[in-house]
């Protein structure tokens, strides 16, 4: 049976104490759960440029441009089989250059402290990425690949060779 591919990005804005999360309301894929601060599906012209998709989604959902953030980096690429689709997610992390009030067109934004993140209701892939980021990712600049399974996500450092 052939599987369709659903490619998505997520951008996670972080500070020294937590991560900006979006309680998404009315989404087709993630509804009434927390996710990274912005994200969504690729447009056809973005297929080979996940950063372009992440920056566009950040602009649409948060009203931010790349000039408003610093340290934008792709940190995680995950794969999950769900509902007959291969879901490929690209997770970017960055910091706001200056503290400001943010609003979203997609739901409710809230800064979640790192200590509260494990108890947050999130989609399985996002939760595994966030927990790995807490344990390891925030202390490195590595790019991780993750395969999502029922029992958890296996993360490996992606190295060029």
């Amino acid at each position: 049976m052939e599987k369709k591919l659903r490619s998505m990005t997520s951008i996670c804005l972080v500070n020294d104490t937590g991560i900006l999360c979006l309680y998404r309301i009315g989404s087709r894929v993630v509804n009434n759960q927390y996710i990274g601060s912005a994200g969504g599906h690729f447009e056809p012209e973005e297929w080979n440029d996940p950063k372009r998709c992440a920056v566009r989604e950040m602009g649409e959902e948060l009203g931010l441009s790349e000039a408003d953030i610093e340290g934008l980096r792709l940190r995680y690429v995950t794969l999950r089989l769900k509902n007959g689709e291969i879901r490929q997610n690209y997770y970017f992390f960055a910091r706001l250059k200056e503290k400001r009030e943010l609003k979203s067109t997609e739901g409710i934004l809230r800064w979640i402290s790192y200590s509260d993140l494990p108890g947050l209701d999130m989609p399985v892939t996002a939760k595994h990425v966030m927990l790995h980021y807490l344990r390891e990712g925030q202390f490195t600049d590595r790019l991780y690949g993750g395969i999502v399974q029922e029992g958890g996500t296996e993360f490996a450092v992606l190295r060029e060779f």
Side-chain angles (χ1 to χ4, degrees):
M1 174 183 221
E2 270 200 44
K3 307 290 183 199
K4 291 191 176 193
L5 178 65
R6 181 186 296 260
S7 295
M8 298 169 280
T9 61
S10 184
I11 186 162
C12 301
L13 298 178
V14 298
N15 62 26
D16 292 337
T17 60
I19 297 177
L20 183 66
C21 290
L22 172 65
Y23 186 79
R24 194 171 285 275
I25 300 169
S27 168
R28 289 177 294 142
V29 177
V30 176
N31 192 28
N32 300 331
Q33 285 186 312
Y34 280 99
I35 60 161
S37 55
H41 298 89
F42 282 59
E43 297 295 336
E45 65 276 6
E46 298 166 339
W47 284 120
N48 293 314
D49 194 349
K51 179 181 174 185
R52 184 176 173 191
C53 179
V55 169
R56 176 185 53 77
E57 290 285 353
M58 183 178 66
E60 289 175 3
E61 295 181 9
L62 303 177
L64 295 173
S65 73
E66 203 169 349
D68 297 315
I69 59 172
E70 59 189 3
L72 179 64
R73 297 211 38 214
L74 176 61
R75 298 298 313 282
Y76 293 88
V77 179
T78 62
L79 291 173
R80 179 182 184 197
L81 185 59
K82 181 167 169 85
N83 297 334
E85 297 176 325
I86 298 170
R87 294 189 178 182
Q88 183 173 311
N89 289 277
Y90 296 84
Y91 289 87
F92 289 82
F93 283 72
R95 291 179 172 264
L96 282 173
K97 285 186 179 176
E98 57 186 53
K99 191 174 179 174
R100 64 191 322 180
E101 187 175 329
L102 296 172
K103 294 193 186 268
S104 176
T105 59
E106 301 287 323
I108 302 164
L109 288 170
R110 185 173 140 220
W111 284 98
I112 305 293
S113 72
Y114 289 135
S115 62
D116 291 339
L117 203 54
L120 207 61
D121 185 24
M122 301 178 95
V124 67
T125 304
K127 180 81 159 212
H128 292 175
V129 166
M130 296 300 177
L131 294 177
H132 187 273
Y133 180 80
L134 285 178
R135 282 191 318 272
E136 187 174 331
Q138 69 176 319
F139 306 111
T140 75
D141 62 355
R142 295 179 176 143
L143 173 61
Y144 296 93
I147 303 296
V148 182
Q149 301 291 335
E150 275 186 78
T153 299
E154 293 291 325
F155 289 100
V157 175
L158 293 178
R159 293 186 172 92
E160 196 165 328
F161 63 92

PDB file of all heavy atoms in Angstrom, residues 137-160:
ATOM      1  N   GLY A 137      19.145  18.225  23.758  1.00  0.00           N
ATOM      2  CA  GLY A 137      19.236  19.152  22.629  1.00  0.00           C
ATOM      3  C   GLY A 137      19.592  20.577  22.984  1.00  0.00           C
ATOM      4  O   GLY A 137      20.306  21.248  22.241  1.00  0.00           O
ATOM      5  N   GLN A 138      19.112  21.061  24.134  1.00  0.00           N
ATOM      6  CA  GLN A 138      19.386  22.451  24.502  1.00  0.00           C
ATOM      7  C   GLN A 138      20.858  22.681  24.835  1.00  0.00           C
ATOM      8  O   GLN A 138      21.308  23.821  24.867  1.00  0.00           O
ATOM      9  CB  GLN A 138      18.491  22.895  25.661  1.00  0.00           C
ATOM     10  CG  GLN A 138      18.788  22.236  26.983  1.00  0.00           C
ATOM     11  CD  GLN A 138      17.935  22.787  28.097  1.00  0.00           C
ATOM     12  OE1 GLN A 138      17.700  23.992  28.184  1.00  0.00           O
ATOM     13  NE2 GLN A 138      17.462  21.903  28.964  1.00  0.00           N
ATOM     14  N   PHE A 139      21.606  21.613  25.071  1.00  0.00           N
ATOM     15  CA  PHE A 139      23.004  21.736  25.461  1.00  0.00           C
ATOM     16  C   PHE A 139      23.969  21.512  24.305  1.00  0.00           C
ATOM     17  O   PHE A 139      25.186  21.521  24.506  1.00  0.00           O
ATOM     18  CB  PHE A 139      23.318  20.743  26.586  1.00  0.00           C
ATOM     19  CG  PHE A 139      22.386  20.878  27.756  1.00  0.00           C
ATOM     20  CD1 PHE A 139      21.474  19.892  28.052  1.00  0.00           C
ATOM     21  CD2 PHE A 139      22.410  22.028  28.551  1.00  0.00           C
ATOM     22  CE1 PHE A 139      20.602  20.020  29.126  1.00  0.00           C
ATOM     23  CE2 PHE A 139      21.534  22.168  29.624  1.00  0.00           C
ATOM     24  CZ  PHE A 139      20.632  21.163  29.909  1.00  0.00           C
ATOM     25  N   THR A 140      23.433  21.281  23.110  1.00  0.00           N
ATOM     26  CA  THR A 140      24.276  21.017  21.936  1.00  0.00           C
ATOM     27  C   THR A 140      23.802  21.879  20.769  1.00  0.00           C
ATOM     28  O   THR A 140      22.782  22.560  20.860  1.00  0.00           O
ATOM     29  CB  THR A 140      24.198  19.535  21.492  1.00  0.00           C
ATOM     30  OG1 THR A 140      22.942  19.313  20.843  1.00  0.00           O
ATOM     31  CG2 THR A 140      24.348  18.578  22.667  1.00  0.00           C
ATOM     32  N   ASP A 141      24.511  21.795  19.678  1.00  0.00           N
ATOM     33  CA  ASP A 141      24.047  22.435  18.443  1.00  0.00           C
ATOM     34  C   ASP A 141      23.832  21.385  17.353  1.00  0.00           C
ATOM     35  O   ASP A 141      23.803  21.685  16.179  1.00  0.00           O
ATOM     36  CB  ASP A 141      25.020  23.525  17.989  1.00  0.00           C
ATOM     37  CG  ASP A 141      26.396  22.976  17.658  1.00  0.00           C
ATOM     38  OD1 ASP A 141      26.648  21.768  17.865  1.00  0.00           O
ATOM     39  OD2 ASP A 141      27.238  23.756  17.166  1.00  0.00           O
ATOM     40  N   ARG A 142      23.669  20.143  17.762  1.00  0.00           N
ATOM     41  CA  ARG A 142      23.526  19.028  16.826  1.00  0.00           C
ATOM     42  C   ARG A 142      22.160  19.004  16.148  1.00  0.00           C
ATOM     43  O   ARG A 142      21.171  19.515  16.674  1.00  0.00           O
ATOM     44  CB  ARG A 142      23.727  17.707  17.564  1.00  0.00           C
ATOM     45  CG  ARG A 142      25.116  17.545  18.095  1.00  0.00           C
ATOM     46  CD  ARG A 142      25.231  16.234  18.835  1.00  0.00           C
ATOM     47  NE  ARG A 142      26.595  16.041  19.267  1.00  0.00           N
ATOM     48  CZ  ARG A 142      26.916  15.484  20.409  1.00  0.00           C
ATOM     49  NH1 ARG A 142      25.982  15.048  21.242  1.00  0.00           N
ATOM     50  NH2 ARG A 142      28.184  15.333  20.740  1.00  0.00           N
ATOM     51  N   LEU A 143      22.132  18.344  15.001  1.00  0.00           N
ATOM     52  CA  LEU A 143      20.895  18.055  14.278  1.00  0.00           C
ATOM     53  C   LEU A 143      20.554  16.599  14.557  1.00  0.00           C
ATOM     54  O   LEU A 143      21.405  15.711  14.403  1.00  0.00           O
ATOM     55  CB  LEU A 143      21.085  18.286  12.775  1.00  0.00           C
ATOM     56  CG  LEU A 143      19.947  17.877  11.859  1.00  0.00           C
ATOM     57  CD1 LEU A 143      18.670  18.643  12.186  1.00  0.00           C
ATOM     58  CD2 LEU A 143      20.341  18.082  10.403  1.00  0.00           C
ATOM     59  N   TYR A 144      19.322  16.345  14.985  1.00  0.00           N
ATOM     60  CA  TYR A 144      18.884  14.997  15.335  1.00  0.00           C
ATOM     61  C   TYR A 144      17.823  14.515  14.356  1.00  0.00           C
ATOM     62  O   TYR A 144      16.965  15.284  13.936  1.00  0.00           O
ATOM     63  CB  TYR A 144      18.274  14.970  16.742  1.00  0.00           C
ATOM     64  CG  TYR A 144      19.246  15.321  17.840  1.00  0.00           C
ATOM     65  CD1 TYR A 144      19.361  16.627  18.292  1.00  0.00           C
ATOM     66  CD2 TYR A 144      20.056  14.347  18.414  1.00  0.00           C
ATOM     67  CE1 TYR A 144      20.253  16.953  19.309  1.00  0.00           C
ATOM     68  CE2 TYR A 144      20.951  14.663  19.428  1.00  0.00           C
ATOM     69  CZ  TYR A 144      21.040  15.972  19.861  1.00  0.00           C
ATOM     70  OH  TYR A 144      21.920  16.291  20.863  1.00  0.00           O
ATOM     71  N   GLY A 145      17.859  13.224  14.065  1.00  0.00           N
ATOM     72  CA  GLY A 145      16.803  12.566  13.319  1.00  0.00           C
ATOM     73  C   GLY A 145      16.067  11.646  14.267  1.00  0.00           C
ATOM     74  O   GLY A 145      16.690  11.031  15.143  1.00  0.00           O
ATOM     75  N   GLY A 146      14.753  11.561  14.123  1.00  0.00           N
ATOM     76  CA  GLY A 146      13.975  10.711  15.015  1.00  0.00           C
ATOM     77  C   GLY A 146      12.941   9.898  14.272  1.00  0.00           C
ATOM     78  O   GLY A 146      12.251  10.414  13.400  1.00  0.00           O
ATOM     79  N   ILE A 147      12.863   8.622  14.622  1.00  0.00           N
ATOM     80  CA  ILE A 147      11.824   7.740  14.104  1.00  0.00           C
ATOM     81  C   ILE A 147      10.846   7.505  15.249  1.00  0.00           C
ATOM     82  O   ILE A 147      11.224   6.997  16.309  1.00  0.00           O
ATOM     83  CB  ILE A 147      12.395   6.396  13.612  1.00  0.00           C
ATOM     84  CG1 ILE A 147      13.473   6.618  12.550  1.00  0.00           C
ATOM     85  CG2 ILE A 147      11.282   5.476  13.120  1.00  0.00           C
ATOM     86  CD1 ILE A 147      12.981   7.253  11.278  1.00  0.00           C
ATOM     87  N   VAL A 148       9.598   7.884  15.042  1.00  0.00           N
ATOM     88  CA  VAL A 148       8.582   7.817  16.087  1.00  0.00           C
ATOM     89  C   VAL A 148       7.895   6.450  16.027  1.00  0.00           C
ATOM     90  O   VAL A 148       7.394   6.056  14.978  1.00  0.00           O
ATOM     91  CB  VAL A 148       7.545   8.948  15.917  1.00  0.00           C
ATOM     92  CG1 VAL A 148       6.515   8.915  17.042  1.00  0.00           C
ATOM     93  CG2 VAL A 148       8.245  10.301  15.851  1.00  0.00           C
ATOM     94  N   GLN A 149       7.885   5.765  17.160  1.00  0.00           N
ATOM     95  CA  GLN A 149       7.232   4.467  17.301  1.00  0.00           C
ATOM     96  C   GLN A 149       6.299   4.523  18.502  1.00  0.00           C
ATOM     97  O   GLN A 149       6.307   5.494  19.260  1.00  0.00           O
ATOM     98  CB  GLN A 149       8.284   3.368  17.506  1.00  0.00           C
ATOM     99  CG  GLN A 149       9.288   3.242  16.386  1.00  0.00           C
ATOM    100  CD  GLN A 149       8.684   2.713  15.103  1.00  0.00           C
ATOM    101  OE1 GLN A 149       7.665   2.013  15.116  1.00  0.00           O
ATOM    102  NE2 GLN A 149       9.287   3.041  13.972  1.00  0.00           N
ATOM    103  N   GLU A 150       5.513   3.476  18.709  1.00  0.00           N
ATOM    104  CA  GLU A 150       4.577   3.441  19.836  1.00  0.00           C
ATOM    105  C   GLU A 150       5.275   3.619  21.176  1.00  0.00           C
ATOM    106  O   GLU A 150       4.783   4.310  22.055  1.00  0.00           O
ATOM    107  CB  GLU A 150       3.809   2.120  19.849  1.00  0.00           C
ATOM    108  CG  GLU A 150       2.587   2.133  18.963  1.00  0.00           C
ATOM    109  CD  GLU A 150       1.801   0.861  19.119  1.00  0.00           C
ATOM    110  OE1 GLU A 150       1.079   0.725  20.125  1.00  0.00           O
ATOM    111  OE2 GLU A 150       1.921   0.011  18.219  1.00  0.00           O
ATOM    112  N   GLY A 151       6.418   3.000  21.356  1.00  0.00           N
ATOM    113  CA  GLY A 151       7.113   3.028  22.635  1.00  0.00           C
ATOM    114  C   GLY A 151       8.002   4.235  22.850  1.00  0.00           C
ATOM    115  O   GLY A 151       8.637   4.363  23.890  1.00  0.00           O
ATOM    116  N   GLY A 152       8.089   5.137  21.888  1.00  0.00           N
ATOM    117  CA  GLY A 152       8.949   6.307  22.021  1.00  0.00           C
ATOM    118  C   GLY A 152       9.579   6.665  20.691  1.00  0.00           C
ATOM    119  O   GLY A 152       9.246   6.094  19.655  1.00  0.00           O
ATOM    120  N   THR A 153      10.488   7.589  20.732  1.00  0.00           N
ATOM    121  CA  THR A 153      11.187   8.024  19.522  1.00  0.00           C
ATOM    122  C   THR A 153      12.664   7.745  19.685  1.00  0.00           C
ATOM    123  O   THR A 153      13.258   8.086  20.706  1.00  0.00           O
ATOM    124  CB  THR A 153      10.961   9.521  19.274  1.00  0.00           C
ATOM    125  OG1 THR A 153       9.561   9.750  19.101  1.00  0.00           O
ATOM    126  CG2 THR A 153      11.686   9.993  18.026  1.00  0.00           C
ATOM    127  N   GLU A 154      13.233   7.111  18.690  1.00  0.00           N
ATOM    128  CA  GLU A 154      14.676   6.858  18.676  1.00  0.00           C
ATOM    129  C   GLU A 154      15.347   8.027  17.967  1.00  0.00           C
ATOM    130  O   GLU A 154      15.100   8.263  16.784  1.00  0.00           O
ATOM    131  CB  GLU A 154      14.991   5.564  17.921  1.00  0.00           C
ATOM    132  CG  GLU A 154      14.494   4.320  18.612  1.00  0.00           C
ATOM    133  CD  GLU A 154      15.253   4.021  19.892  1.00  0.00           C
ATOM    134  OE1 GLU A 154      16.481   4.289  19.936  1.00  0.00           O
ATOM    135  OE2 GLU A 154      14.622   3.533  20.840  1.00  0.00           O
ATOM    136  N   PHE A 155      16.160   8.782  18.699  1.00  0.00           N
ATOM    137  CA  PHE A 155      16.876   9.915  18.136  1.00  0.00           C
ATOM    138  C   PHE A 155      18.323   9.534  17.866  1.00  0.00           C
ATOM    139  O   PHE A 155      18.936   8.837  18.674  1.00  0.00           O
ATOM    140  CB  PHE A 155      16.844  11.131  19.086  1.00  0.00           C
ATOM    141  CG  PHE A 155      15.507  11.769  19.193  1.00  0.00           C
ATOM    142  CD1 PHE A 155      14.683  11.507  20.274  1.00  0.00           C
ATOM    143  CD2 PHE A 155      15.051  12.625  18.200  1.00  0.00           C
ATOM    144  CE1 PHE A 155      13.441  12.116  20.393  1.00  0.00           C
ATOM    145  CE2 PHE A 155      13.807  13.237  18.293  1.00  0.00           C
ATOM    146  CZ  PHE A 155      12.998  12.967  19.395  1.00  0.00           C
ATOM    147  N   ALA A 156      18.831  10.004  16.763  1.00  0.00           N
ATOM    148  CA  ALA A 156      20.246   9.831  16.418  1.00  0.00           C
ATOM    149  C   ALA A 156      20.775  11.159  15.894  1.00  0.00           C
ATOM    150  O   ALA A 156      20.038  11.923  15.266  1.00  0.00           O
ATOM    151  CB  ALA A 156      20.406   8.747  15.348  1.00  0.00           C
ATOM    152  N   VAL A 157      22.045  11.409  16.157  1.00  0.00           N
ATOM    153  CA  VAL A 157      22.678  12.612  15.625  1.00  0.00           C
ATOM    154  C   VAL A 157      22.873  12.388  14.128  1.00  0.00           C
ATOM    155  O   VAL A 157      23.373  11.342  13.704  1.00  0.00           O
ATOM    156  CB  VAL A 157      24.038  12.868  16.308  1.00  0.00           C
ATOM    157  CG1 VAL A 157      24.747  14.047  15.664  1.00  0.00           C
ATOM    158  CG2 VAL A 157      23.845  13.101  17.803  1.00  0.00           C
ATOM    159  N   LEU A 158      22.434  13.352  13.324  1.00  0.00           N
ATOM    160  CA  LEU A 158      22.646  13.271  11.879  1.00  0.00           C
ATOM    161  C   LEU A 158      24.009  13.902  11.582  1.00  0.00           C
ATOM    162  O   LEU A 158      24.232  15.076  11.910  1.00  0.00           O
ATOM    163  CB  LEU A 158      21.543  14.006  11.124  1.00  0.00           C
ATOM    164  CG  LEU A 158      20.149  13.393  11.234  1.00  0.00           C
ATOM    165  CD1 LEU A 158      19.132  14.246  10.486  1.00  0.00           C
ATOM    166  CD2 LEU A 158      20.128  11.984  10.701  1.00  0.00           C
ATOM    167  N   ARG A 159      24.887  13.119  10.995  1.00  0.00           N
ATOM    168  CA  ARG A 159      26.227  13.588  10.664  1.00  0.00           C
ATOM    169  C   ARG A 159      26.450  13.481   9.163  1.00  0.00           C
ATOM    170  O   ARG A 159      26.010  12.515   8.536  1.00  0.00           O
ATOM    171  CB  ARG A 159      27.273  12.769  11.403  1.00  0.00           C
ATOM    172  CG  ARG A 159      27.248  12.963  12.887  1.00  0.00           C
ATOM    173  CD  ARG A 159      28.416  12.216  13.556  1.00  0.00           C
ATOM    174  NE  ARG A 159      28.500  12.550  14.949  1.00  0.00           N
ATOM    175  CZ  ARG A 159      27.909  11.868  15.926  1.00  0.00           C
ATOM    176  NH1 ARG A 159      27.160  10.826  15.621  1.00  0.00           N
ATOM    177  NH2 ARG A 159      28.056  12.233  17.177  1.00  0.00           N
ATOM    178  N   GLU A 160      27.119  14.444   8.646  1.00  0.00           N
ATOM    179  CA  GLU A 160      27.458  14.418   7.226  1.00  0.00           C
ATOM    180  C   GLU A 160      28.667  13.510   7.034  1.00  0.00           C
ATOM    181  O   GLU A 160      29.627  13.558   7.800  1.00  0.00           O
ATOM    182  CB  GLU A 160      27.773  15.830   6.742  1.00  0.00           C
ATOM    183  CG  GLU A 160      27.756  15.935   5.241  1.00  0.00           C
ATOM    184  CD  GLU A 160      27.701  17.365   4.772  1.00  0.00           C
ATOM    185  OE1 GLU A 160      27.116  18.208   5.451  1.00  0.00           O
ATOM    186  OE2 GLU A 160      28.271  17.607   3.698  1.00  0.00           O
TER     187      GLU A 160
END
